[in-house]
Amino acid sequence: MGSLVAIAISISPYFFYLYESVPNQPIWDTFLFTYKSEFYNSANVAFWTITGKSIPLYFLTIWFFTCRHWWYHALLIPMTMYIYQLTNVLNDDLHYIDSFELKYFIPLMALIIPSIYLIRAKIFNRINSVNKSTQELEDEMRIRPLTFIQKIKQYF
């Protein structure tokens, strides 16, 4: 599993520079699809923007599924932000990409931040009542599924 994660991280520069293979013209016609860039007036610029939003999302997703710490759910907040920005980039009629997105994250943050605080409070409550180190308590709180499929099922 570690080798697959290392390969996924090491090929990320190739994913980022895929936009260079896109022509610098409004319409990009391939045998699979036709892309018309209305807002950017260049398919190259549109795909550069898409890769600028999708590569951090790619890294955050890898981090989310490989993190074994109790706070890994906090990664959902920036992941959701990048998903929202990526959908806005894909929307050709959009004029201001990064505006007013915080109001969409408030419900998500209202769920995640208190749950992280409660997990933290539970850990420190155990530290005060039991003679264990913080590392031992974090090890108890880690979720260790047997397979990658079980880890994915755990989130959905």
Side-chain angles (χ1 to χ4, degrees), residues 35-70:
Y35 179 78
K36 183 177 180 185
S37 177
E38 295 176 7
F39 179 71
Y40 297 101
N41 291 325
S42 170
N44 184 279
V45 173
F47 275 83
W48 176 77
T49 308
I50 289 169
T51 57
K53 301 297 182 184
S54 62
I55 294 299
L57 178 62
Y58 176 71
F59 286 135
L60 285 168
T61 304
I62 291 172
W63 190 10
F64 181 78
F65 284 114
T66 59
C67 186
R68 293 189 175 149
H69 295 287
W70 58 268

Side-chain angles (χ1 to χ4, degrees), residues 41-107:
N41 291 325
S42 170
N44 184 279
V45 173
F47 275 83
W48 176 77
T49 308
I50 289 169
T51 57
K53 301 297 182 184
S54 62
I55 294 299
L57 178 62
Y58 176 71
F59 286 135
L60 285 168
T61 304
I62 291 172
W63 190 10
F64 181 78
F65 284 114
T66 59
C67 186
R68 293 189 175 149
H69 295 287
W70 58 268
W71 50 263
Y72 70 97
H73 286 97
L75 295 172
L76 290 172
I77 295 170
M79 285 173 67
T80 306
M81 178 187 70
Y82 277 110
I83 290 169
Y84 177 78
Q85 289 176 349
L86 189 58
T87 56
N88 283 341
V89 168
L90 295 174
N91 181 3
D92 290 333
D93 296 331
L94 184 68
H95 295 286
Y96 300 101
I97 294 171
D98 293 332
S99 63
F100 302 117
E101 65 202 28
L102 187 61
K103 66 182 175 186
Y104 297 109
F105 299 121
I106 291 174

Side-chain angles (χ1 to χ4, degrees), residues 133-151:
S133 69
T134 306
Q135 184 62 43
E136 290 171 335
L137 290 172
E138 281 188 4
D139 290 340
E140 282 183 18
M141 300 289 279
R142 285 186 187 160
I143 301 168
R144 296 182 182 162
L146 299 174
T147 65
F148 182 71
I149 300 298
Q150 288 175 342
K151 186 153 188 159

